[in-house]
Amino acid sequence: MNTEFAQKVFRIVKQIPKGETLSYKQVAILAGNEEAARAVGNILNSNYDLLIPCHRVIRSDGKIGGYNGGARKKKLLLAEECK
DNA sequence: CATTTGACGCCAA
DNA sequence: TTTGGCGCCAAAT
């Protein structure tokens, strides 16, 4: 990475409270690039950081989207912590 | 260095 | 409402 954008993305996603979910677009906006929703997902995927609750980041459509460990697991994980 | 890829998003049929 | 297609960005090839 080494890019400010990626850094912001990580910081933001890390700060997502338990039970909260943000869309890639929202993260992109908070990161400073509203039109970088795609890049956000790409960054999380390329830099899967266990310190980052990327499972809290979903699509703006409300769909789960993708996940390194499987979208299914991600959904279950969210349901479990949102509890 | 140029091109493709991909965990997205929005608009038009 | 469900598809398809286009546009966007950063990272990987």
Side-chain angles (χ1 to χ4, degrees):
Chain A
M1 37 116 143
N2 282 351
T3 68
E4 210 174 287
F5 180 67
Q7 293 295 333
K8 287 179 184 174
V9 172
F10 289 130
R11 196 184 64 197
I12 293 166
V13 177
K14 273 191 222 166
Q15 291 177 31
I16 300 178
K18 184 166 80 108
E20 295 291 312
T21 57
L22 283 178
S23 68
Y24 294 95
K25 177 119 206 232
Q26 289 299 313
V27 176
I29 294 173
L30 295 175
N33 290 304
E34 180 178 350
E35 311 198 325
R38 204 163 195 171
V40 173
N42 203 2
I43 290 168
L44 292 176
N45 183 31
S46 297
N47 295 286
Y48 187 68
D49 206 324
L50 296 175
L51 304 176
I52 301 178
C54 31
H55 57 274
R56 303 220 178 110
V57 185
I58 64 177
R59 293 181 49 124
S60 58
D61 302 273
K63 293 184 183 306
I64 296 303
Y67 187 55
N68 236 322
R72 184 185 47 131
K73 184 84 179 263
K74 175 176 176 181
K75 187 175 183 178
L76 295 175
L77 219 60
L78 282 172
E80 191 66 25
E81 68 178 33
C82 270
K83 176 166 46 62

